[in-house]
Amino acid sequence: MIFVKEDKGVNIGLQQDNFEYRQSANTLFNFMPKLEYLLDNLRQMKMYPRYVEENVEFLNLTYGNRKIRKVAFPMLCFCDINLHKLSLHVEGDVGKKTDGYGKYGVGLDKKWCELHGFQPISYLNPISKQTTDFSKIINVGLKSLYDNSEMNEQYFDYILEQLALSKPLTGKMLKEKIEIQKNFHDEKEWRFLPNLDDVPIPSFLNDATMPDYMTWRAKKDMSDALRAEPQTHLNISIEAIKYIFVDTIDDREELLNLLKENFKIEEALILASKIIIYNQIVGDW
């Protein structure tokens, strides 16, 4: 006789309401190198995606007889790292000035980020079967494009989106016009990909078919152009912000002045309560 346990069902809604992350942060952090970038985000209460270059040599992608070594997608990048481990992400390795992301940033509530479409990325082991199969699938799509043969556009868009949400475990990264080596897996990255429907700006760049678009200047110009397209922005709320990081006391004073000028007194006080001076707190981690 086979006994079947009665399935009483699971209240998914209740489970979501009570769920907290235990071994990762409940906040997603975005750090930047300059105070002016942070002030601009808070003044507008928006974050603006930019084209991020990725080295994809490990995928062995080809378009005709040309290799695709670098691609770029518009995105916002966040790390899922607990507060006491943030210093390596913020400052980088000792002696590597371009290795860290900067001491200015915001921490957004992770549940809020989930509701706004953020996605944790996939980390690929270059010698795994999954990576080999992924490479083959992308190359099938690229061959169809090159041969000008019939292809399911929705299918290929989905494959490119998966590429935009993937990185190797370790690899090369362009940082401040310099290519550096990074352990990407340690960053526990999440990404926000903007909605580019009906936006006359390409969603996928590569160095094989559009090398002129892959220069630093061209990517900057197209990133700046995204600011003129409201549907690509990430609109942030006061409630979503859990932390605001600045480097020094002087930075805090400049930020407080901005809050006084741009927000109602109640809103300014709430945002001021979220300010953390990085150089003060880092010694207590």
Side-chain angles (χ1 to χ4, degrees), residues 76-110:
L76 283 166
C77 304
F78 294 77
C79 71
D80 180 5
I81 301 174
N82 288 303
L83 279 170
H84 68 283
K85 293 184 177 180
L86 275 175
S87 59
L88 184 62
H89 183 82
V90 169
E91 300 181 61
D93 289 329
V94 176
K96 295 183 179 178
K97 294 182 179 180
T98 60
D99 201 26
Y101 289 91
K103 298 178 181 179
Y104 305 96
V106 293
L108 301 181
D109 180 78
K110 189 187 281 186

Short mmCIF file of all heavy atoms in Angstrom, two decimals, residues 76-110:
data_model
loop_
_atom_site.label_atom_id
_atom_site.label_comp_id
_atom_site.label_asym_id
_atom_site.label_seq_id
_atom_site.Cartn_x
_atom_site.Cartn_y
_atom_site.Cartn_z
N LEU A 76 22.88 48.79 -14.52
CA LEU A 76 23.34 49.26 -13.22
C LEU A 76 23.80 48.03 -12.45
O LEU A 76 23.11 47.00 -12.45
CB LEU A 76 22.22 49.96 -12.46
CG LEU A 76 21.87 51.38 -12.87
CD1 LEU A 76 20.54 51.80 -12.26
CD2 LEU A 76 22.97 52.35 -12.44
N CYS A 77 24.94 48.13 -11.77
CA CYS A 77 25.53 46.99 -11.09
C CYS A 77 25.53 47.22 -9.58
O CYS A 77 25.89 48.30 -9.11
CB CYS A 77 26.95 46.75 -11.57
SG CYS A 77 27.10 46.54 -13.36
N PHE A 78 25.16 46.19 -8.85
CA PHE A 78 25.11 46.24 -7.39
C PHE A 78 25.81 45.00 -6.83
O PHE A 78 25.86 43.97 -7.48
CB PHE A 78 23.65 46.26 -6.91
CG PHE A 78 22.90 47.51 -7.29
CD1 PHE A 78 22.44 47.69 -8.59
CD2 PHE A 78 22.67 48.51 -6.36
CE1 PHE A 78 21.75 48.84 -8.95
CE2 PHE A 78 21.98 49.66 -6.71
CZ PHE A 78 21.53 49.83 -8.00
N CYS A 79 26.30 45.12 -5.60
CA CYS A 79 26.90 43.96 -4.95
C CYS A 79 26.04 43.53 -3.77
O CYS A 79 25.38 44.36 -3.12
CB CYS A 79 28.34 44.26 -4.50
SG CYS A 79 28.49 45.38 -3.10
N ASP A 80 26.05 42.24 -3.51
CA ASP A 80 25.28 41.63 -2.43
C ASP A 80 26.29 41.16 -1.37
O ASP A 80 26.55 39.97 -1.22
CB ASP A 80 24.46 40.47 -2.99
CG ASP A 80 23.63 39.76 -1.94
OD1 ASP A 80 23.62 40.22 -0.78
OD2 ASP A 80 23.01 38.74 -2.27
N ILE A 81 26.87 42.14 -0.66
CA ILE A 81 27.95 41.84 0.29
C ILE A 81 27.57 42.43 1.65
O ILE A 81 27.13 43.58 1.74
CB ILE A 81 29.28 42.45 -0.19
CG1 ILE A 81 29.66 41.89 -1.57
CG2 ILE A 81 30.41 42.16 0.81
CD1 ILE A 81 30.90 42.53 -2.17
N ASN A 82 27.76 41.65 2.70
CA ASN A 82 27.48 42.14 4.04
C ASN A 82 28.40 43.31 4.40
O ASN A 82 29.54 43.39 3.94
CB ASN A 82 27.64 41.02 5.06
CG ASN A 82 26.52 39.99 4.96
OD1 ASN A 82 25.35 40.32 5.08
ND2 ASN A 82 26.89 38.74 4.72
N LEU A 83 27.88 44.20 5.26
CA LEU A 83 28.59 45.43 5.59
C LEU A 83 30.04 45.19 6.02
O LEU A 83 30.94 45.91 5.60
CB LEU A 83 27.85 46.18 6.70
CG LEU A 83 26.64 47.03 6.29
CD1 LEU A 83 25.89 47.49 7.52
CD2 LEU A 83 27.07 48.21 5.45
N HIS A 84 30.26 44.20 6.86
CA HIS A 84 31.60 44.02 7.42
C HIS A 84 32.60 43.47 6.40
O HIS A 84 33.79 43.38 6.69
CB HIS A 84 31.55 43.10 8.65
CG HIS A 84 31.20 41.66 8.33
ND1 HIS A 84 29.92 41.27 8.06
CD2 HIS A 84 31.97 40.55 8.24
CE1 HIS A 84 29.90 39.96 7.82
NE2 HIS A 84 31.14 39.51 7.92
N LYS A 85 32.13 43.15 5.19
CA LYS A 85 33.03 42.67 4.14
C LYS A 85 33.14 43.64 2.96
O LYS A 85 33.74 43.31 1.94
CB LYS A 85 32.56 41.30 3.63
CG LYS A 85 32.67 40.18 4.65
CD LYS A 85 32.28 38.85 4.04
CE LYS A 85 32.46 37.71 5.03
NZ LYS A 85 32.09 36.40 4.45
N LEU A 86 32.59 44.83 3.12
CA LEU A 86 32.52 45.76 2.00
C LEU A 86 33.86 46.43 1.67
O LEU A 86 34.04 46.92 0.56
CB LEU A 86 31.49 46.86 2.27
CG LEU A 86 30.04 46.54 1.91
CD1 LEU A 86 29.13 47.68 2.36
CD2 LEU A 86 29.88 46.29 0.42
N SER A 87 34.79 46.49 2.60
CA SER A 87 35.99 47.31 2.40
C SER A 87 36.79 46.87 1.18
O SER A 87 37.32 47.70 0.44
CB SER A 87 36.87 47.30 3.65
OG SER A 87 37.26 45.98 3.98
N LEU A 88 36.91 45.56 0.93
CA LEU A 88 37.66 45.10 -0.23
C LEU A 88 36.98 45.52 -1.53
O LEU A 88 37.64 45.90 -2.50
CB LEU A 88 37.82 43.57 -0.20
CG LEU A 88 38.67 42.96 -1.31
CD1 LEU A 88 40.10 43.47 -1.25
CD2 LEU A 88 38.66 41.44 -1.23
N HIS A 89 35.65 45.49 -1.53
CA HIS A 89 34.90 45.91 -2.72
C HIS A 89 35.05 47.42 -2.93
O HIS A 89 35.21 47.89 -4.06
CB HIS A 89 33.43 45.55 -2.53
CG HIS A 89 32.56 45.86 -3.70
ND1 HIS A 89 32.46 45.05 -4.80
CD2 HIS A 89 31.74 46.93 -3.96
CE1 HIS A 89 31.62 45.58 -5.68
NE2 HIS A 89 31.18 46.72 -5.19
N VAL A 90 35.02 48.18 -1.86
CA VAL A 90 35.07 49.64 -1.92
C VAL A 90 36.46 50.14 -2.26
O VAL A 90 36.66 50.98 -3.14
CB VAL A 90 34.59 50.25 -0.59
CG1 VAL A 90 34.87 51.74 -0.54
CG2 VAL A 90 33.10 49.98 -0.40
N GLU A 91 37.47 49.61 -1.55
CA GLU A 91 38.84 50.12 -1.68
C GLU A 91 39.72 49.28 -2.59
O GLU A 91 40.72 49.77 -3.10
CB GLU A 91 39.49 50.19 -0.30
CG GLU A 91 38.75 51.10 0.68
CD GLU A 91 39.44 51.17 2.02
OE1 GLU A 91 40.60 51.61 2.06
OE2 GLU A 91 38.82 50.77 3.02
N GLY A 92 39.37 48.01 -2.79
CA GLY A 92 40.20 47.12 -3.59
C GLY A 92 41.40 46.62 -2.81
O GLY A 92 41.57 46.89 -1.63
N ASP A 93 42.24 45.87 -3.49
CA ASP A 93 43.46 45.36 -2.87
C ASP A 93 44.43 46.50 -2.60
O ASP A 93 44.50 47.47 -3.35
CB ASP A 93 44.15 44.33 -3.78
CG ASP A 93 43.38 43.03 -3.87
OD1 ASP A 93 42.71 42.69 -2.87
OD2 ASP A 93 43.43 42.37 -4.91
N VAL A 94 45.17 46.38 -1.53
CA VAL A 94 46.15 47.41 -1.18
C VAL A 94 47.13 47.60 -2.34
O VAL A 94 47.67 46.64 -2.88
CB VAL A 94 46.92 46.99 0.09
CG1 VAL A 94 48.01 48.01 0.41
CG2 VAL A 94 45.97 46.85 1.27
N GLY A 95 47.34 48.84 -2.73
CA GLY A 95 48.29 49.15 -3.80
C GLY A 95 47.69 49.18 -5.19
O GLY A 95 48.32 49.62 -6.13
N LYS A 96 46.44 48.70 -5.34
CA LYS A 96 45.79 48.71 -6.65
C LYS A 96 44.75 49.82 -6.68
O LYS A 96 43.60 49.63 -6.31
CB LYS A 96 45.13 47.36 -6.94
CG LYS A 96 46.12 46.21 -7.06
CD LYS A 96 45.40 44.92 -7.40
CE LYS A 96 46.36 43.77 -7.55
NZ LYS A 96 45.66 42.49 -7.86
N LYS A 97 45.13 50.99 -7.13
CA LYS A 97 44.28 52.18 -7.04
C LYS A 97 43.01 52.04 -7.86
O LYS A 97 42.00 52.67 -7.55
CB LYS A 97 45.06 53.42 -7.48
CG LYS A 97 46.22 53.78 -6.55
CD LYS A 97 46.92 55.04 -7.01
CE LYS A 97 48.04 55.42 -6.07
NZ LYS A 97 48.75 56.64 -6.50
N THR A 98 43.04 51.26 -8.92
CA THR A 98 41.86 51.15 -9.78
C THR A 98 41.02 49.92 -9.43
O THR A 98 40.05 49.63 -10.12
CB THR A 98 42.28 51.04 -11.26
OG1 THR A 98 43.11 49.88 -11.43
CG2 THR A 98 43.03 52.27 -11.69
N ASP A 99 41.36 49.21 -8.38
CA ASP A 99 40.72 47.94 -8.08
C ASP A 99 39.39 48.10 -7.36
O ASP A 99 38.51 47.26 -7.46
CB ASP A 99 41.68 47.09 -7.24
CG ASP A 99 41.34 45.61 -7.30
OD1 ASP A 99 40.75 45.17 -8.30
OD2 ASP A 99 41.64 44.91 -6.34
N GLY A 100 39.24 49.17 -6.56
CA GLY A 100 38.01 49.39 -5.82
C GLY A 100 37.02 50.22 -6.60
O GLY A 100 37.35 50.83 -7.63
N TYR A 101 35.79 50.29 -6.10
CA TYR A 101 34.73 50.99 -6.82
C TYR A 101 34.46 52.39 -6.29
O TYR A 101 33.72 53.14 -6.92
CB TYR A 101 33.45 50.15 -6.77
CG TYR A 101 33.55 48.90 -7.62
CD1 TYR A 101 34.01 47.70 -7.08
CD2 TYR A 101 33.24 48.93 -8.97
CE1 TYR A 101 34.13 46.56 -7.86
CE2 TYR A 101 33.35 47.80 -9.76
CZ TYR A 101 33.80 46.62 -9.20
OH TYR A 101 33.93 45.50 -9.98
N GLY A 102 35.03 52.76 -5.15
CA GLY A 102 34.83 54.10 -4.62
C GLY A 102 34.10 54.09 -3.30
O GLY A 102 33.39 53.14 -2.96
N LYS A 103 34.25 55.19 -2.54
CA LYS A 103 33.72 55.27 -1.18
C LYS A 103 32.38 56.00 -1.09
O LYS A 103 31.90 56.30 0.00
CB LYS A 103 34.74 55.94 -0.27
CG LYS A 103 36.06 55.17 -0.17
CD LYS A 103 37.06 55.90 0.71
CE LYS A 103 38.37 55.14 0.79
NZ LYS A 103 39.37 55.84 1.62
N TYR A 104 31.77 56.28 -2.24
CA TYR A 104 30.47 56.94 -2.27
C TYR A 104 29.44 55.94 -2.81
O TYR A 104 29.71 55.23 -3.78
CB TYR A 104 30.50 58.17 -3.16
CG TYR A 104 31.59 59.15 -2.76
CD1 TYR A 104 32.83 59.14 -3.39
CD2 TYR A 104 31.38 60.05 -1.73
CE1 TYR A 104 33.84 60.02 -3.00
CE2 TYR A 104 32.37 60.93 -1.33
CZ TYR A 104 33.60 60.90 -1.97
OH TYR A 104 34.59 61.76 -1.57
N GLY A 105 28.28 55.89 -2.18
CA GLY A 105 27.32 54.93 -2.69
C GLY A 105 26.01 54.92 -1.94
O GLY A 105 25.81 55.65 -0.97
N VAL A 106 25.12 54.07 -2.43
CA VAL A 106 23.82 53.88 -1.78
C VAL A 106 23.59 52.40 -1.57
O VAL A 106 24.06 51.56 -2.33
CB VAL A 106 22.66 54.47 -2.62
CG1 VAL A 106 22.76 55.97 -2.70
CG2 VAL A 106 22.62 53.85 -4.02
N GLY A 107 22.86 52.09 -0.51
CA GLY A 107 22.41 50.74 -0.26
C GLY A 107 20.89 50.71 -0.37
O GLY A 107 20.20 51.47 0.30
N LEU A 108 20.37 49.86 -1.25
CA LEU A 108 18.93 49.77 -1.48
C LEU A 108 18.38 48.48 -0.90
O LEU A 108 19.03 47.43 -0.96
CB LEU A 108 18.62 49.82 -2.99
CG LEU A 108 19.08 51.05 -3.76
CD1 LEU A 108 18.69 50.93 -5.23
CD2 LEU A 108 18.50 52.33 -3.16
N ASP A 109 17.19 48.56 -0.34
CA ASP A 109 16.55 47.38 0.23
C ASP A 109 16.42 46.29 -0.83
O ASP A 109 15.92 46.54 -1.94
CB ASP A 109 15.16 47.78 0.74
CG ASP A 109 14.43 46.61 1.34
OD1 ASP A 109 14.73 46.23 2.48
OD2 ASP A 109 13.55 46.05 0.63
N LYS A 110 16.86 45.09 -0.50
CA LYS A 110 16.91 44.02 -1.51
C LYS A 110 15.51 43.62 -1.99
O LYS A 110 15.31 43.36 -3.18
CB LYS A 110 17.65 42.80 -0.98
CG LYS A 110 17.91 41.75 -2.06
CD LYS A 110 18.49 40.47 -1.50
CE LYS A 110 19.96 40.57 -1.22
NZ LYS A 110 20.54 39.27 -0.82
#
